[in-house]
Amino acid sequence: MTEMHPHLKEILFDEATIQAKVAEMAAEISRDYAGKKVLVVGILTGAVMFAVDLLKRLTIDVELDFMDVSSYGASLSSSGEVRILKDLSSAAEGREILIVEDIIDTGNTLVYLKRILNERLARSVKIAALLDKPAGRKVEIEADYVGFVVPDAFIVGYGIDYAQRYRQLPYIGIFNTDFMIKEEQNE
Ligand code: PRP
């Protein structure tokens, strides 16, 4: 049994469950894109683990690139603003693009990414999201491939952080907010 980090209250998906789901998603994606060359775009930083594990299992011809966008800033709730912190290294025009995300919450990040990649004349833009949190949604967006639907809880692990911590956990769980870093009091 997986030993849980003491700052978590519950494990939702252990390592084996995640890896089995990623393999299932990779098989479906490989079938759908058979004969095509895909530009896989991992969204930093949270999607790194998922992007790498998914990539290892894709049997199609792929290129890997990353984008870094910020939607949350330091706060816990999304502001709706999205900024590009690191852009693609490759041109999007004419490419079959698969955006790889760790989680869809408000949907702001993916709505923005889909819009700009379409504006850049990508041939197609699809989304693979390991986690979907429908309760967080503020704008309408659906992923083409979803791993797990998660409850409206504070999710960490397998790339997903709280205050940049817990990304290294090989499983996904619910953060115990008793361990939240207290804001410094400004007099
Ligand atoms: C998180 C997550 C998604 C996005 C989802 O990233 O990794 O990219 O927020 O939220 P949304 O649907 O409300 O837009 P974050 O900006 O926290 O950066 P990180 O991946 O570097 O932790």
Side-chain angles (χ1 to χ4, degrees):
M1 218 184 99
T2 311
E3 197 165 320
M4 189 174 75
H5 190 290
H7 293 183
L8 265 60
K9 4 185 233 214
E10 188 187 330
I11 292 180
L12 292 176
F13 311 109
D14 66 14
E15 193 172 359
T17 306
I18 294 171
Q19 294 304 325
K21 181 61 79 177
V22 173
E24 206 180 282
M25 293 174 82
E28 193 186 347
I29 291 166
S30 297
R31 273 197 304 275
D32 291 353
Y33 284 97
K36 291 179 179 163
K37 184 172 167 189
V38 179
L39 179 62
V40 172
V41 177
I43 308 306
L44 298 171
T45 302
V48 162
M49 297 239 192
F50 176 44
V52 168
D53 284 344
L54 187 74
L55 203 79
K56 284 189 276 188
R57 292 171 173 85
L58 292 175
T59 55
I60 42 173
D61 194 4
V62 294
E63 281 181 29
L64 178 62
D65 205 338
F66 290 97
M67 280 183 85
D68 193 1
V69 292
S70 127
S71 63
Y72 283 9
S75 71
L76 294 176
S77 62
S78 185
S79 59
E81 268 177 52
V82 181
R83 281 189 307 141
I84 297 185
L85 303 177
K86 182 224 170 288
D87 209 334
L88 286 179
S89 303
S90 20
E93 188 172 349
R95 306 301 305 270
E96 314 269 7
I97 295 182
L98 180 68
I99 301 173
V100 174
E101 254 296 23
D102 48 340
I103 186 164
I104 316 179
D105 188 358
T106 64
N108 286 322
T109 304
L110 283 168
V111 164
Y112 173 78
L113 284 170
K114 251 195 132 159
R115 178 166 63 75
I116 62 159
L117 294 173
N118 280 319
E119 280 170 8
R120 292 178 188 183
L121 305 177
R123 183 188 293 266
S124 68
V125 182
K126 284 190 175 186
I127 298 165
L130 182 64
L131 306 180
D132 186 2
K133 190 197 273 186
R137 207 69 99 250
K138 291 188 178 152
V139 287
E140 208 177 305
I141 184 94
E142 267 182 52
D144 301 274
Y145 307 95
V146 175
F148 305 102
V149 173
V150 291
D152 192 14
F154 203 145
I155 309 290
V156 294
Y158 195 66
I160 302 173
D161 73 312
Y162 161 62
Q164 302 303 329
R165 300 186 67 189
Y166 316 110
R167 293 194 198 272
Q168 81 271 34
L169 302 177
Y171 49 84
I172 291 168
I174 300 179
F175 178 61
N176 179 347
T177 50
D178 293 348
F179 293 96
M180 222 170 213
I181 299 162
K182 303 278 180 292
E183 297 276 335
E184 277 183 4
Q185 301 281 325
N186 293 318
E187 294 289 318

